[in-house]
Amino acid sequence: MKYSGYAYIKTIGCQMNVYDSEKLAAILNSYGYEKTIDMDKADIVVCNTCSIRHKAEEKAFSFLGRFAKIKKKKPHLITVMAGCVAQQEGEKAFARVPHLDIVLGTQAFSRFGPIIDAIKSGKKKIVDIKNSAMIYEALPDTSCFEENKISKFVTIMQGCDNFCTYCVVPHVRGRERSRLPAAIIEEITLLAAAGVKEVTLLGQNVNSYGQKEAQISFPKLLAAVNDIAGIHRIRFATSHPKDLSSDLIYAIRDLDKVCSHLHLPVQSGSNKILKKMNRGYTREKYIDRILKLRKECPDIALSTDIIVGFPSETWGDFKDTMNLLREIEFDSIFAFAYSDRSSAPAARFSDQIDEDEKKERLNNLLGLQEYYTEKKNKEQIGKILDVLVEGKSGKLRDGFDHVQKSMEQMVGRTQSNKIVHFPSKDVIIGDIIKIRIENAYPHSLWGHPLGAQR
Ligand code: SAM
Ligand code: SF4
């Protein structure tokens, strides 16, 4: 059916959810709902949720809770909980959000349209958390894109088979499934035609792309994407350390569009904790992979994810993680306090760590990393780097006092994923320009452009 009205979509969580929200927007658009950023105008509100940590889950309930009053004044408003919390909670979501109309699980996208029809024709409270062997395939609708039209996420696989003991992903996103290479190439070709310059290929463990389906390997997929005209940069996440193959390292080294940046989540520097997490590698194996990577790609930037306060983590184990940061010198890290998830086995592990203790470890870790992030940024001073222009600079952080306030500032990213601010009136979003780096700050670089290439 075709309706007329506005759709407001709130996205919580990871890059995959950003991608999924664009798919949901496209489905709604095909049913006549135009995307709006004005919540008050909405005739349908979708909250695309994340359950990776307790805080993200609470954010979803609190966002949807706001619509109790609004729905009283606007009874035709349809409220939807989509994504991981929807999959996890099912029917139970109605108990916490009584005014909710639809609970749309992670594998129910292909049925979203008919579900809206059913609600429109008077059906109340629909839950769809059924599994689906097929991945929902639909070409992107560029009119539904978020603001950034230069850099796009493309999910290449869904679910996960790794079952790390702290993680909800296998429980809410299902078993690992890979998309067909032809579908991925068609999608990226369409994105390139729409002006997209950079794609980030997404999966929970991209190294195992296509293995179950006996399709081409991930390095071969990278090579195929590298051949797409109009795409200038290729990124990917996430690579699992246990499966980081030499072929992937060579692909990063040899394919000109693959950025020299790798996100390789280590989670902990302690072998005891890595074993309890079921990560499938040791600290030594992780370091070995990093050494191999740095040998082949000496300028590669490295980032990682770390969880502190996993059950039974002692100060000694935590020190192992701190020392790993000193040994590897990552360019940046994402660090989290362990969050208990009832569907993940670690929730039932003994020796849970006190919340204050977790906070203290997290602060210590972030404090140490700040030193290395700034150090890595300072190493860029004097270099001439290619920067993909993303937009106008927002409010500049402290430390930019030397910059004239009246000067027009733009912002972009280096291949190594570092943010660069620079003064210019003559570049447009999507240009790749050479910038001489002159200053480095804890979170970004600053420099002068040398010339544009379109
Ligand atoms: N597949 C990726 C991998 O294996 O590294 C990670 C995906 S997960 C969406 C992103 C990050 O969230 C993880 O790397 C981990 O650091 C963090 N995370 C997952 N479960 C968590 C939990 N229960 N508590 C705290 N952080 C968690
Ligand atoms: Fe979660 Fe581990 Fe799978 Fe990553 S590899 S999604 S952390 S279970």
Side-chain angles (χ1 to χ4, degrees):
M1 283 282 288
K2 204 74 172 163
Y3 308 101
S4 83
Y6 289 99
Y8 181 90
I9 302 181
K10 164 94 176 163
T11 308
I12 299 170
C14 66
Q15 300 167 330
M16 238 175 229
N17 271 8
V18 173
Y19 176 81
D20 285 350
S21 287
E22 284 182 350
K23 294 273 176 235
L24 291 170
I27 297 170
L28 288 168
N29 200 31
S30 71
Y31 274 72
Y33 290 103
E34 195 182 317
K35 202 169 137 190
T36 179
I37 51 165
D38 180 359
M39 210 153 51
D40 296 334
K41 260 172 79 176
D43 302 290
I44 182 163
V45 170
V46 181
C47 183
N48 192 11
T49 60
C50 167
S51 59
I52 200 89
R53 284 170 288 276
H54 178 69
K55 233 190 200 160
E57 194 175 309
E58 284 309 303
K59 215 166 147 186
F61 282 111
S62 117
F63 174 80
L64 284 163
R66 292 199 226 166
F67 291 92
K69 272 196 195 146
I70 303 173
K71 239 192 127 150
K72 279 201 180 121
K73 284 192 234 144
K74 208 174 170 181
H76 78 277
L77 176 73
I78 300 174
T79 50
V80 185
M81 177 190 264
C84 295
V85 181
Q87 186 71 33
Q88 178 184 287
E89 298 296 303
E91 286 277 343
K92 285 187 284 170
F94 295 126
R96 279 192 71 182
V97 190
H99 53 278
L100 192 62
D101 296 301
I102 300 170
V103 175
L104 190 77
T106 52
Q107 297 175 52
F109 282 25
S110 61
R111 300 180 290 272
F112 189 27
I115 291 173
I116 296 170
D117 285 338
I119 291 283
K120 280 291 214 183
S121 56
K123 211 165 172 237
K124 304 252 178 279
K125 306 210 174 301
I126 301 181
V127 181
D128 187 338
I129 52 169
K130 287 194 283 287
N131 289 341
S132 169
M134 301 284 288
I135 295 185
Y136 172 70
E137 282 292 352
L139 283 173
D141 176 346
T142 49
S143 69
C144 300
F145 278 2
E146 303 286 329
E147 241 163 62
N148 182 349
K149 292 191 171 67
I150 291 303
S151 176
K152 285 280 145 202
F153 300 123
V154 176
T155 293
I156 60 165
M157 57 206 293
Q158 290 181 345
C160 183
D161 288 346
N162 285 320
F163 292 93
C164 301
T165 54
Y166 51 80
C167 184
V168 290
V169 170
H171 310 280
V172 292
R173 292 256 176 191
R175 295 297 83 78
E176 184 184 287
R177 321 175 285 291
S178 295
R179 291 178 67 195
L180 290 171
I184 297 167
I185 300 300
E186 188 185 8
E187 177 166 344
I188 299 175
T189 305
L190 195 143
L191 292 176
V196 169
K197 298 278 168 73
E198 175 182 88
V199 285
T200 304
L201 310 182
L202 301 177
Q204 296 301 345
N205 180 8
V206 291
N207 310 77
S208 59
Y209 169 80
Q211 277 175 16
K212 267 185 170 177
E213 294 82 3
Q215 290 172 180
I216 60 170
S217 67
F218 184 60
K220 291 217 165 82
L221 179 72
L222 281 176
V225 178
N226 201 70
D227 286 341
I228 299 177
I231 295 298
H232 291 256
R233 285 185 174 180
I234 304 166
R235 300 185 186 279
F236 58 87
T238 303
S239 201
H240 195 299
K242 80 177 164 58
D243 298 318
L244 175 61
S245 66
S246 297
D247 281 351
L248 180 56
I249 295 176
Y250 302 143
I252 301 171
R253 183 193 65 190
D254 299 336
L255 296 171
D256 60 328
K257 296 178 185 175
V258 174
C259 290
S260 60
H261 167 226
L262 187 70
H263 184 64
L264 197 64
V266 65
Q267 312 298 358
S268 171
S270 149
N271 280 337
K272 177 191 102 188
I273 297 297
L274 286 173
K275 191 151 193 259
K276 289 196 166 203
M277 286 177 163
N278 191 32
R279 288 292 287 176
Y281 54 86
T282 58
R283 173 196 179 95
E284 292 73 27
K285 164 118 193 266
Y286 185 89
I287 293 171
D288 172 71
R289 291 286 76 194
I290 297 289
L291 291 176
K292 166 89 179 158
L293 193 63
R294 283 190 164 146
K295 182 168 169 267
E296 301 299 335
C297 319
D299 291 330
I300 195 151
L302 290 170
S303 57
T304 198
D305 288 349
I306 285 171
I307 297 177
V308 300
F310 186 79
S312 83
E313 183 191 71
T314 60
W315 268 95
D317 296 318
F318 174 65
K319 275 189 190 146
D320 287 345
T321 303
M322 295 281 274
N323 284 333
L324 188 75
L325 254 56
R326 293 185 182 99
E327 191 168 342
I328 293 189
E329 302 196 353
F330 292 101
D331 291 72
S332 61
I333 65 166
F334 297 89
F336 313 98
Y338 166 73
S339 172
D340 233 6
R341 311 282 60 215
S342 58
S343 56
R348 288 166 293 284
F349 286 5
S350 54
D351 299 326
Q352 297 280 335
I353 310 293
D354 176 78
E355 289 303 321
D356 288 339
E357 185 77 42
K358 287 184 202 168
K359 250 185 232 156
E360 191 182 339
R361 292 181 195 179
L362 187 61
N363 287 338
N364 283 346
L365 192 85
L366 292 171
L368 176 66
Q369 180 55 35
E370 216 158 279
Y371 167 78
Y372 290 106
T373 302
E374 193 161 358
K375 177 173 184 246
K376 291 279 166 184
N377 282 352
K378 287 206 164 114
E379 286 170 9
Q380 309 305 312
I381 295 177
K383 291 188 183 166
I384 295 170
L385 301 178
D386 284 338
V387 172
L388 174 62
V389 181
E390 290 182 352
K392 285 200 171 146
S393 264
K395 203 169 167 284
L396 295 177
R397 289 168 184 270
D398 291 348
F400 282 81
D401 299 343
H402 63 290
V403 180
Q404 287 170 27
K405 295 286 177 241
S406 57
M407 211 187 266
E408 190 160 338
Q409 300 280 323
M410 302 287 283
V411 68
R413 259 170 219 272
T414 63
Q415 273 222 36
S416 58
N417 211 24
K418 294 186 195 300
I419 295 170
V420 184
H421 297 272
F422 55 96
S424 183
K425 288 200 279 297
D426 306 325
V427 296
I428 56 173
I429 294 171
D431 279 347
I432 293 178
I433 61 171
K434 293 213 177 290
I435 294 193
R436 187 191 304 281
I437 304 301
E438 286 164 22
N439 281 303
Y441 302 98
H443 303 281
S444 61
L445 306 171
W446 196 87
H448 268 106
L450 303 181
Q453 164 210 323
R454 263 168 215 158

